Amino acid sequence: MRVRDLSIRTTMSLVLVVMATIMLGYATGAVRGARQRASEAERVITLVRASRALLQTLNVTRFERGATLQFLAAAEPVEAGTRASLYADRRRAIAGLAAAQPLLDGLDLSTVAATLGRLQEAGGRVERLRPRVDAALNLSGARRDSAVSSEAKAAFQEMLDALIATSDAVDAAIPLSDGILRRDLALKRAAWSTRMANGAVALRVQTSLAAGVSWSLDETIAAAEERGRLDAAWKAATEAASDASETVRAARPDAAAGHAAAARHGQPGRPRSEVARQPGQGLR
């Protein structure tokens, strides 16, 4: 049968069927795309939550490390009242790791899973060391086992390294198609590097003051190197903050307009790099 032999009704029916098939295929593709985008959005939200939980845990673990090493360097026994800050930091570190664990377990990512064994091992090492730290703080510096301090320093450093490794794996899995998210992650990494470098400088000073001893030549050189790393990290953080601010202003014309209006009134808006804390201001 040739096409010209078909009736008008049959021809129109065929046309309608073809059009309906095309529309159905298009609708199916649109629904599938919407589901994929929704699934991707949920995945990003989960990754961001895990990243935030790890960052918070990193922060309080650093606080616990700083207080632990400072108190272990003290010449006299550390009274219970003085230990309150250490125990508060310890509780927050334990709670932070407990809150992050379910989020990490829910991520079906081999790169993240590969870091969890190290993180669990490091967490167990710190947990086993804490009773020995408490017992050592009851003694004077002369009677205190010096091995506890060196073990605490190594254990907490391994814990921080493990947390950073897991955090880096989580951040690397976050899709960077969004410009603002990409810049914010870069700012987060730069700010954290600055805080770590600043903490190393502060920890060396505080530990020496608590022990009442001056630096050796090797320690003086190490302190100078730490200060150099801090300056480099701070420069990178301010550049990342400036880039992030430019991205936000480009995405939000109203913010750029407000910035210009403030400048016209003699109050130029300051980028984040200027309003952020300078190195050494209240950081541990």
mmCIF file of all heavy atoms in Angstrom, residues 84-137:
data_model
loop_
_atom_site.group_PDB
_atom_site.id
_atom_site.type_symbol
_atom_site.label_atom_id
_atom_site.label_comp_id
_atom_site.label_asym_id
_atom_site.label_seq_id
_atom_site.Cartn_x
_atom_site.Cartn_y
_atom_site.Cartn_z
ATOM 1 N N ALA A 84 39.026 22.020 83.032
ATOM 2 C CA ALA A 84 37.653 22.091 82.512
ATOM 3 C C ALA A 84 37.632 22.379 81.017
ATOM 4 O O ALA A 84 36.841 21.791 80.265
ATOM 5 C CB ALA A 84 36.868 23.165 83.263
ATOM 6 N N SER A 85 38.502 23.270 80.562
ATOM 7 C CA SER A 85 38.520 23.590 79.131
ATOM 8 C C SER A 85 38.954 22.390 78.302
ATOM 9 O O SER A 85 38.417 22.144 77.217
ATOM 10 C CB SER A 85 39.460 24.773 78.874
ATOM 11 O OG SER A 85 40.799 24.451 79.253
ATOM 12 N N LEU A 86 39.927 21.622 78.825
ATOM 13 C CA LEU A 86 40.372 20.423 78.112
ATOM 14 C C LEU A 86 39.235 19.425 77.984
ATOM 15 O O LEU A 86 38.997 18.869 76.901
ATOM 16 C CB LEU A 86 41.556 19.791 78.845
ATOM 17 C CG LEU A 86 41.943 18.364 78.405
ATOM 18 C CD1 LEU A 86 42.355 18.344 76.942
ATOM 19 C CD2 LEU A 86 43.050 17.810 79.302
ATOM 20 N N TYR A 87 38.533 19.181 79.079
ATOM 21 C CA TYR A 87 37.454 18.198 79.054
ATOM 22 C C TYR A 87 36.299 18.666 78.164
ATOM 23 O O TYR A 87 35.638 17.834 77.513
ATOM 24 C CB TYR A 87 36.970 17.920 80.467
ATOM 25 C CG TYR A 87 38.000 17.220 81.329
ATOM 26 C CD1 TYR A 87 38.030 17.367 82.707
ATOM 27 C CD2 TYR A 87 38.973 16.419 80.747
ATOM 28 C CE1 TYR A 87 38.984 16.724 83.489
ATOM 29 C CE2 TYR A 87 39.933 15.773 81.504
ATOM 30 C CZ TYR A 87 39.931 15.934 82.881
ATOM 31 O OH TYR A 87 40.889 15.302 83.640
ATOM 32 N N ALA A 88 36.049 19.974 78.135
ATOM 33 C CA ALA A 88 34.991 20.495 77.254
ATOM 34 C C ALA A 88 35.376 20.286 75.787
ATOM 35 O O ALA A 88 34.550 19.854 74.969
ATOM 36 C CB ALA A 88 34.761 21.971 77.534
ATOM 37 N N ASP A 89 36.639 20.572 75.457
ATOM 38 C CA ASP A 89 37.109 20.337 74.088
ATOM 39 C C ASP A 89 37.056 18.854 73.739
ATOM 40 O O ASP A 89 36.701 18.481 72.620
ATOM 41 C CB ASP A 89 38.543 20.850 73.927
ATOM 42 C CG ASP A 89 38.639 22.358 74.014
ATOM 43 O OD1 ASP A 89 37.623 23.025 73.719
ATOM 44 O OD2 ASP A 89 39.717 22.868 74.372
ATOM 45 N N ARG A 90 37.389 18.012 74.702
ATOM 46 C CA ARG A 90 37.370 16.569 74.467
ATOM 47 C C ARG A 90 35.953 16.080 74.179
ATOM 48 O O ARG A 90 35.738 15.282 73.256
ATOM 49 C CB ARG A 90 37.941 15.839 75.676
ATOM 50 C CG ARG A 90 38.010 14.333 75.522
ATOM 51 C CD ARG A 90 38.548 13.673 76.779
ATOM 52 N NE ARG A 90 39.944 14.044 77.027
ATOM 53 C CZ ARG A 90 40.633 13.646 78.099
ATOM 54 N NH1 ARG A 90 40.034 12.892 79.029
ATOM 55 N NH2 ARG A 90 41.888 14.000 78.249
ATOM 56 N N ARG A 91 35.002 16.554 74.953
ATOM 57 C CA ARG A 91 33.611 16.136 74.723
ATOM 58 C C ARG A 91 33.137 16.575 73.342
ATOM 59 O O ARG A 91 32.454 15.826 72.640
ATOM 60 C CB ARG A 91 32.699 16.728 75.807
ATOM 61 C CG ARG A 91 32.847 16.070 77.168
ATOM 62 C CD ARG A 91 31.717 16.490 78.094
ATOM 63 N NE ARG A 91 31.752 17.923 78.366
ATOM 64 C CZ ARG A 91 32.426 18.483 79.372
ATOM 65 N NH1 ARG A 91 33.125 17.717 80.206
ATOM 66 N NH2 ARG A 91 32.405 19.776 79.561
ATOM 67 N N ARG A 92 33.502 17.791 72.942
ATOM 68 C CA ARG A 92 33.095 18.272 71.624
ATOM 69 C C ARG A 92 33.762 17.469 70.509
ATOM 70 O O ARG A 92 33.147 17.217 69.472
ATOM 71 C CB ARG A 92 33.417 19.762 71.484
ATOM 72 C CG ARG A 92 32.464 20.672 72.266
ATOM 73 C CD ARG A 92 32.624 22.110 71.835
ATOM 74 N NE ARG A 92 33.902 22.668 72.262
ATOM 75 C CZ ARG A 92 34.084 23.332 73.396
ATOM 76 N NH1 ARG A 92 33.063 23.512 74.224
ATOM 77 N NH2 ARG A 92 35.267 23.823 73.714
ATOM 78 N N ALA A 93 35.016 17.088 70.705
ATOM 79 C CA ALA A 93 35.714 16.295 69.692
ATOM 80 C C ALA A 93 35.060 14.922 69.538
ATOM 81 O O ALA A 93 34.863 14.433 68.413
ATOM 82 C CB ALA A 93 37.187 16.150 70.069
ATOM 83 N N ILE A 94 34.723 14.294 70.662
ATOM 84 C CA ILE A 94 34.078 12.983 70.615
ATOM 85 C C ILE A 94 32.705 13.087 69.951
ATOM 86 O O ILE A 94 32.333 12.270 69.098
ATOM 87 C CB ILE A 94 33.962 12.400 72.030
ATOM 88 C CG1 ILE A 94 35.359 12.103 72.600
ATOM 89 C CG2 ILE A 94 33.108 11.135 72.035
ATOM 90 C CD1 ILE A 94 35.364 11.700 74.067
ATOM 91 N N ALA A 95 31.943 14.123 70.330
ATOM 92 C CA ALA A 95 30.611 14.312 69.753
ATOM 93 C C ALA A 95 30.698 14.635 68.267
ATOM 94 O O ALA A 95 29.870 14.172 67.469
ATOM 95 C CB ALA A 95 29.877 15.433 70.496
ATOM 96 N N GLY A 96 31.706 15.422 67.878
ATOM 97 C CA GLY A 96 31.849 15.771 66.474
ATOM 98 C C GLY A 96 32.140 14.564 65.608
ATOM 99 O O GLY A 96 31.559 14.395 64.520
ATOM 100 N N LEU A 97 33.020 13.694 66.078
ATOM 101 C CA LEU A 97 33.340 12.486 65.317
ATOM 102 C C LEU A 97 32.134 11.558 65.245
ATOM 103 O O LEU A 97 31.868 10.942 64.202
ATOM 104 C CB LEU A 97 34.524 11.776 65.961
ATOM 105 C CG LEU A 97 35.107 10.596 65.177
ATOM 106 C CD1 LEU A 97 35.588 11.053 63.812
ATOM 107 C CD2 LEU A 97 36.248 9.948 65.954
ATOM 108 N N ALA A 98 31.381 11.469 66.355
ATOM 109 C CA ALA A 98 30.181 10.630 66.362
ATOM 110 C C ALA A 98 29.129 11.163 65.396
ATOM 111 O O ALA A 98 28.409 10.387 64.758
ATOM 112 C CB ALA A 98 29.609 10.553 67.781
ATOM 113 N N ALA A 99 29.025 12.492 65.272
ATOM 114 C CA ALA A 99 28.049 13.084 64.357
ATOM 115 C C ALA A 99 28.472 12.912 62.906
ATOM 116 O O ALA A 99 27.629 12.748 62.010
ATOM 117 C CB ALA A 99 27.875 14.571 64.679
ATOM 118 N N ALA A 100 29.775 12.941 62.643
ATOM 119 C CA ALA A 100 30.261 12.815 61.265
ATOM 120 C C ALA A 100 30.186 11.379 60.755
ATOM 121 O O ALA A 100 30.011 11.152 59.557
ATOM 122 C CB ALA A 100 31.692 13.329 61.174
ATOM 123 N N GLN A 101 30.310 10.406 61.647
ATOM 124 C CA GLN A 101 30.400 9.012 61.231
ATOM 125 C C GLN A 101 29.195 8.538 60.420
ATOM 126 O O GLN A 101 29.371 7.918 59.359
ATOM 127 C CB GLN A 101 30.604 8.112 62.448
ATOM 128 C CG GLN A 101 31.072 6.706 62.108
ATOM 129 C CD GLN A 101 32.444 6.693 61.458
ATOM 130 O OE1 GLN A 101 33.389 7.275 61.975
ATOM 131 N NE2 GLN A 101 32.544 6.043 60.302
ATOM 132 N N PRO A 102 27.941 8.798 60.863
ATOM 133 C CA PRO A 102 26.795 8.342 60.047
ATOM 134 C C PRO A 102 26.773 8.985 58.666
ATOM 135 O O PRO A 102 26.375 8.331 57.694
ATOM 136 C CB PRO A 102 25.573 8.770 60.884
ATOM 137 C CG PRO A 102 26.092 8.945 62.268
ATOM 138 C CD PRO A 102 27.495 9.426 62.126
ATOM 139 N N LEU A 103 27.168 10.241 58.567
ATOM 140 C CA LEU A 103 27.192 10.906 57.273
ATOM 141 C C LEU A 103 28.224 10.258 56.353
ATOM 142 O O LEU A 103 27.989 10.074 55.161
ATOM 143 C CB LEU A 103 27.515 12.391 57.459
ATOM 144 C CG LEU A 103 26.483 13.216 58.231
ATOM 145 C CD1 LEU A 103 27.016 14.629 58.489
ATOM 146 C CD2 LEU A 103 25.168 13.284 57.467
ATOM 147 N N LEU A 104 29.378 9.894 56.920
ATOM 148 C CA LEU A 104 30.422 9.263 56.119
ATOM 149 C C LEU A 104 30.015 7.852 55.704
ATOM 150 O O LEU A 104 30.283 7.423 54.580
ATOM 151 C CB LEU A 104 31.729 9.221 56.914
ATOM 152 C CG LEU A 104 32.329 10.583 57.276
ATOM 153 C CD1 LEU A 104 33.522 10.407 58.202
ATOM 154 C CD2 LEU A 104 32.735 11.343 56.029
ATOM 155 N N ASP A 105 29.376 7.130 56.622
ATOM 156 C CA ASP A 105 28.946 5.771 56.309
ATOM 157 C C ASP A 105 27.893 5.751 55.207
ATOM 158 O O ASP A 105 27.761 4.770 54.471
ATOM 159 C CB ASP A 105 28.393 5.090 57.563
ATOM 160 C CG ASP A 105 29.481 4.818 58.600
ATOM 161 O OD1 ASP A 105 30.666 4.791 58.213
ATOM 162 O OD2 ASP A 105 29.141 4.663 59.785
ATOM 163 N N GLY A 106 27.114 6.837 55.110
ATOM 164 C CA GLY A 106 26.060 6.903 54.102
ATOM 165 C C GLY A 106 26.549 7.277 52.715
ATOM 166 O O GLY A 106 25.760 7.262 51.761
ATOM 167 N N LEU A 107 27.838 7.601 52.589
ATOM 168 C CA LEU A 107 28.390 7.972 51.286
ATOM 169 C C LEU A 107 28.891 6.725 50.565
ATOM 170 O O LEU A 107 29.768 6.025 51.051
ATOM 171 C CB LEU A 107 29.541 8.967 51.458
ATOM 172 C CG LEU A 107 29.182 10.315 52.078
ATOM 173 C CD1 LEU A 107 30.443 11.140 52.298
ATOM 174 C CD2 LEU A 107 28.191 11.073 51.196
ATOM 175 N N ASP A 108 28.332 6.469 49.404
ATOM 176 C CA ASP A 108 28.748 5.307 48.617
ATOM 177 C C ASP A 108 29.884 5.733 47.685
ATOM 178 O O ASP A 108 29.735 5.791 46.460
ATOM 179 C CB ASP A 108 27.560 4.769 47.820
ATOM 180 C CG ASP A 108 27.900 3.469 47.110
ATOM 181 O OD1 ASP A 108 28.910 2.847 47.481
ATOM 182 O OD2 ASP A 108 27.154 3.098 46.179
ATOM 183 N N LEU A 109 31.030 6.054 48.297
ATOM 184 C CA LEU A 109 32.175 6.545 47.540
ATOM 185 C C LEU A 109 33.424 5.785 47.977
ATOM 186 O O LEU A 109 33.785 5.797 49.154
ATOM 187 C CB LEU A 109 32.381 8.045 47.772
ATOM 188 C CG LEU A 109 31.269 8.981 47.268
ATOM 189 C CD1 LEU A 109 31.493 10.390 47.788
ATOM 190 C CD2 LEU A 109 31.237 8.969 45.745
ATOM 191 N N SER A 110 34.061 5.129 47.027
ATOM 192 C CA SER A 110 35.241 4.334 47.359
ATOM 193 C C SER A 110 36.388 5.207 47.852
ATOM 194 O O SER A 110 37.162 4.790 48.715
ATOM 195 C CB SER A 110 35.684 3.533 46.137
ATOM 196 O OG SER A 110 35.989 4.398 45.046
ATOM 197 N N THR A 111 36.501 6.433 47.320
ATOM 198 C CA THR A 111 37.593 7.311 47.738
ATOM 199 C C THR A 111 37.459 7.719 49.195
ATOM 200 O O THR A 111 38.458 7.848 49.912
ATOM 201 C CB THR A 111 37.624 8.564 46.849
ATOM 202 O OG1 THR A 111 36.316 9.182 46.838
ATOM 203 C CG2 THR A 111 38.017 8.209 45.431
ATOM 204 N N VAL A 112 36.225 7.939 49.633
ATOM 205 C CA VAL A 112 35.992 8.285 51.039
ATOM 206 C C VAL A 112 36.153 7.054 51.920
ATOM 207 O O VAL A 112 36.783 7.102 52.982
ATOM 208 C CB VAL A 112 34.591 8.908 51.225
ATOM 209 C CG1 VAL A 112 34.308 9.163 52.703
ATOM 210 C CG2 VAL A 112 34.476 10.209 50.438
ATOM 211 N N ALA A 113 35.595 5.928 51.481
ATOM 212 C CA ALA A 113 35.679 4.691 52.265
ATOM 213 C C ALA A 113 37.125 4.271 52.504
ATOM 214 O O ALA A 113 37.452 3.709 53.554
ATOM 215 C CB ALA A 113 34.914 3.573 51.563
ATOM 216 N N ALA A 114 38.000 4.590 51.550
ATOM 217 C CA ALA A 114 39.404 4.203 51.678
ATOM 218 C C ALA A 114 40.105 4.934 52.810
ATOM 219 O O ALA A 114 41.143 4.477 53.299
ATOM 220 C CB ALA A 114 40.138 4.465 50.362
ATOM 221 N N THR A 115 39.544 6.062 53.257
ATOM 222 C CA THR A 115 40.168 6.839 54.336
ATOM 223 C C THR A 115 39.602 6.515 55.715
ATOM 224 O O THR A 115 40.175 6.937 56.722
ATOM 225 C CB THR A 115 39.982 8.345 54.083
ATOM 226 O OG1 THR A 115 38.590 8.695 54.228
ATOM 227 C CG2 THR A 115 40.451 8.742 52.693
ATOM 228 N N LEU A 116 38.492 5.804 55.763
ATOM 229 C CA LEU A 116 37.801 5.615 57.041
ATOM 230 C C LEU A 116 38.549 4.672 57.981
ATOM 231 O O LEU A 116 38.482 4.831 59.197
ATOM 232 C CB LEU A 116 36.384 5.099 56.795
ATOM 233 C CG LEU A 116 35.464 6.059 56.021
ATOM 234 C CD1 LEU A 116 34.058 5.474 55.900
ATOM 235 C CD2 LEU A 116 35.414 7.423 56.695
ATOM 236 N N GLY A 117 39.238 3.677 57.421
ATOM 237 C CA GLY A 117 40.007 2.772 58.282
ATOM 238 C C GLY A 117 41.086 3.528 59.050
ATOM 239 O O GLY A 117 41.266 3.310 60.257
ATOM 240 N N ARG A 118 41.797 4.397 58.361
ATOM 241 C CA ARG A 118 42.822 5.202 59.016
ATOM 242 C C ARG A 118 42.212 6.118 60.072
ATOM 243 O O ARG A 118 42.760 6.281 61.163
ATOM 244 C CB ARG A 118 43.557 6.027 57.969
ATOM 245 C CG ARG A 118 44.634 6.946 58.537
ATOM 246 C CD ARG A 118 45.213 7.828 57.449
ATOM 247 N NE ARG A 118 46.220 8.734 57.978
ATOM 248 C CZ ARG A 118 46.810 9.692 57.252
ATOM 249 N NH1 ARG A 118 46.484 9.858 55.988
ATOM 250 N NH2 ARG A 118 47.710 10.493 57.813
ATOM 251 N N LEU A 119 41.053 6.698 59.751
ATOM 252 C CA LEU A 119 40.398 7.597 60.695
ATOM 253 C C LEU A 119 39.968 6.844 61.955
ATOM 254 O O LEU A 119 40.157 7.329 63.079
ATOM 255 C CB LEU A 119 39.180 8.244 60.024
ATOM 256 C CG LEU A 119 38.365 9.219 60.869
ATOM 257 C CD1 LEU A 119 39.232 10.380 61.351
ATOM 258 C CD2 LEU A 119 37.170 9.746 60.080
ATOM 259 N N GLN A 120 39.398 5.663 61.795
ATOM 260 C CA GLN A 120 38.965 4.875 62.950
ATOM 261 C C GLN A 120 40.158 4.444 63.802
ATOM 262 O O GLN A 120 40.101 4.463 65.036
ATOM 263 C CB GLN A 120 38.169 3.667 62.481
ATOM 264 C CG GLN A 120 36.828 4.024 61.859
ATOM 265 C CD GLN A 120 36.122 2.826 61.237
ATOM 266 O OE1 GLN A 120 36.683 1.735 61.176
ATOM 267 N NE2 GLN A 120 34.901 3.026 60.765
ATOM 268 N N GLU A 121 41.238 4.065 63.153
ATOM 269 C CA GLU A 121 42.437 3.660 63.883
ATOM 270 C C GLU A 121 43.024 4.825 64.677
ATOM 271 O O GLU A 121 43.407 4.677 65.848
ATOM 272 C CB GLU A 121 43.473 3.118 62.906
ATOM 273 C CG GLU A 121 44.747 2.613 63.575
ATOM 274 C CD GLU A 121 45.742 2.048 62.579
ATOM 275 O OE1 GLU A 121 45.345 1.853 61.408
ATOM 276 O OE2 GLU A 121 46.901 1.804 62.961
ATOM 277 N N ALA A 122 43.083 5.999 64.039
ATOM 278 C CA ALA A 122 43.613 7.179 64.722
ATOM 279 C C ALA A 122 42.711 7.583 65.884
ATOM 280 O O ALA A 122 43.196 7.956 66.963
ATOM 281 C CB ALA A 122 43.751 8.334 63.731
ATOM 282 N N GLY A 123 41.389 7.511 65.679
ATOM 283 C CA GLY A 123 40.462 7.844 66.759
ATOM 284 C C GLY A 123 40.599 6.894 67.933
ATOM 285 O O GLY A 123 40.547 7.323 69.098
ATOM 286 N N GLY A 124 40.786 5.602 67.656
ATOM 287 C CA GLY A 124 40.980 4.631 68.728
ATOM 288 C C GLY A 124 42.275 4.873 69.494
ATOM 289 O O GLY A 124 42.320 4.702 70.721
ATOM 290 N N ARG A 125 43.313 5.281 68.783
ATOM 291 C CA ARG A 125 44.593 5.560 69.440
ATOM 292 C C ARG A 125 44.471 6.733 70.401
ATOM 293 O O ARG A 125 44.958 6.673 71.535
ATOM 294 C CB ARG A 125 45.650 5.852 68.378
ATOM 295 C CG ARG A 125 47.045 6.129 68.938
ATOM 296 C CD ARG A 125 48.023 6.437 67.815
ATOM 297 N NE ARG A 125 49.346 6.752 68.328
ATOM 298 C CZ ARG A 125 50.366 7.160 67.573
ATOM 299 N NH1 ARG A 125 50.198 7.288 66.250
ATOM 300 N NH2 ARG A 125 51.533 7.442 68.125
ATOM 301 N N VAL A 126 43.797 7.787 69.975
ATOM 302 C CA VAL A 126 43.594 8.950 70.851
ATOM 303 C C VAL A 126 42.730 8.579 72.044
ATOM 304 O O VAL A 126 43.006 8.975 73.181
ATOM 305 C CB VAL A 126 42.964 10.112 70.053
ATOM 306 C CG1 VAL A 126 42.518 11.233 70.987
ATOM 307 C CG2 VAL A 126 43.949 10.662 69.031
ATOM 308 N N GLU A 127 41.691 7.792 71.798
ATOM 309 C CA GLU A 127 40.789 7.399 72.875
ATOM 310 C C GLU A 127 41.529 6.582 73.934
ATOM 311 O O GLU A 127 41.306 6.756 75.150
ATOM 312 C CB GLU A 127 39.617 6.598 72.296
ATOM 313 C CG GLU A 127 38.560 6.223 73.315
ATOM 314 C CD GLU A 127 37.874 7.427 73.925
ATOM 315 O OE1 GLU A 127 37.758 8.459 73.234
ATOM 316 O OE2 GLU A 127 37.464 7.341 75.103
ATOM 317 N N ARG A 128 42.401 5.680 73.516
ATOM 318 C CA ARG A 128 43.166 4.867 74.470
ATOM 319 C C ARG A 128 44.187 5.709 75.240
ATOM 320 O O ARG A 128 44.556 5.361 76.371
ATOM 321 C CB ARG A 128 43.879 3.735 73.727
ATOM 322 C CG ARG A 128 42.946 2.674 73.174
ATOM 323 C CD ARG A 128 43.718 1.472 72.651
ATOM 324 N NE ARG A 128 44.611 1.835 71.539
ATOM 325 C CZ ARG A 128 44.245 1.815 70.262
ATOM 326 N NH1 ARG A 128 42.996 1.490 69.931
ATOM 327 N NH2 ARG A 128 45.110 2.130 69.315
ATOM 328 N N LEU A 129 44.620 6.805 74.651
ATOM 329 C CA LEU A 129 45.633 7.637 75.282
ATOM 330 C C LEU A 129 45.043 8.590 76.325
ATOM 331 O O LEU A 129 45.743 8.992 77.264
ATOM 332 C CB LEU A 129 46.364 8.441 74.209
ATOM 333 C CG LEU A 129 47.555 9.290 74.650
ATOM 334 C CD1 LEU A 129 48.681 8.402 75.180
ATOM 335 C CD2 LEU A 129 48.051 10.156 73.498
ATOM 336 N N ARG A 130 43.797 8.923 76.199
ATOM 337 C CA ARG A 130 43.204 9.941 77.073
ATOM 338 C C ARG A 130 43.293 9.587 78.564
ATOM 339 O O ARG A 130 43.616 10.471 79.373
ATOM 340 C CB ARG A 130 41.753 10.190 76.661
ATOM 341 C CG ARG A 130 41.631 11.079 75.416
ATOM 342 C CD ARG A 130 40.238 11.105 74.861
ATOM 343 N NE ARG A 130 40.126 12.047 73.742
ATOM 344 C CZ ARG A 130 39.328 11.862 72.697
ATOM 345 N NH1 ARG A 130 38.567 10.766 72.635
ATOM 346 N NH2 ARG A 130 39.283 12.755 71.731
ATOM 347 N N PRO A 131 43.024 8.356 78.997
ATOM 348 C CA PRO A 131 43.182 8.046 80.427
ATOM 349 C C PRO A 131 44.617 8.236 80.923
ATOM 350 O O PRO A 131 44.825 8.674 82.065
ATOM 351 C CB PRO A 131 42.744 6.573 80.517
ATOM 352 C CG PRO A 131 41.853 6.363 79.343
ATOM 353 C CD PRO A 131 42.430 7.217 78.262
ATOM 354 N N ARG A 132 45.597 7.935 80.080
ATOM 355 C CA ARG A 132 46.987 8.142 80.473
ATOM 356 C C ARG A 132 47.306 9.623 80.607
ATOM 357 O O ARG A 132 48.069 10.032 81.484
ATOM 358 C CB ARG A 132 47.915 7.503 79.440
ATOM 359 C CG ARG A 132 47.819 5.994 79.371
ATOM 360 C CD ARG A 132 48.771 5.437 78.324
ATOM 361 N NE ARG A 132 50.153 5.802 78.634
ATOM 362 C CZ ARG A 132 51.142 5.724 77.752
ATOM 363 N NH1 ARG A 132 50.903 5.320 76.511
ATOM 364 N NH2 ARG A 132 52.366 6.052 78.112
ATOM 365 N N VAL A 133 46.710 10.428 79.749
ATOM 366 C CA VAL A 133 46.890 11.879 79.853
ATOM 367 C C VAL A 133 46.314 12.385 81.164
ATOM 368 O O VAL A 133 46.961 13.163 81.893
ATOM 369 C CB VAL A 133 46.216 12.593 78.663
ATOM 370 C CG1 VAL A 133 46.157 14.098 78.898
ATOM 371 C CG2 VAL A 133 46.954 12.289 77.364
ATOM 372 N N ASP A 134 45.112 11.941 81.505
ATOM 373 C CA ASP A 134 44.477 12.382 82.753
ATOM 374 C C ASP A 134 45.313 11.981 83.960
ATOM 375 O O ASP A 134 45.461 12.763 84.918
ATOM 376 C CB ASP A 134 43.071 11.788 82.860
ATOM 377 C CG ASP A 134 42.138 12.340 81.798
ATOM 378 O OD1 ASP A 134 42.463 13.389 81.209
ATOM 379 O OD2 ASP A 134 41.088 11.709 81.546
ATOM 380 N N ALA A 135 45.854 10.771 83.927
ATOM 381 C CA ALA A 135 46.686 10.324 85.047
ATOM 382 C C ALA A 135 47.968 11.141 85.133
ATOM 383 O O ALA A 135 48.428 11.492 86.236
ATOM 384 C CB ALA A 135 47.019 8.836 84.886
ATOM 385 N N ALA A 136 48.562 11.474 84.001
ATOM 386 C CA ALA A 136 49.797 12.252 84.005
ATOM 387 C C ALA A 136 49.578 13.665 84.527
ATOM 388 O O ALA A 136 50.459 14.247 85.168
ATOM 389 C CB ALA A 136 50.385 12.308 82.593
ATOM 390 N N LEU A 137 48.400 14.218 84.289
ATOM 391 C CA LEU A 137 48.126 15.581 84.736
ATOM 392 C C LEU A 137 47.998 15.666 86.255
ATOM 393 O O LEU A 137 48.066 16.767 86.822
ATOM 394 C CB LEU A 137 46.847 16.109 84.066
ATOM 395 C CG LEU A 137 46.910 16.283 82.546
ATOM 396 C CD1 LEU A 137 45.596 16.828 82.013
ATOM 397 C CD2 LEU A 137 48.063 17.195 82.142
#
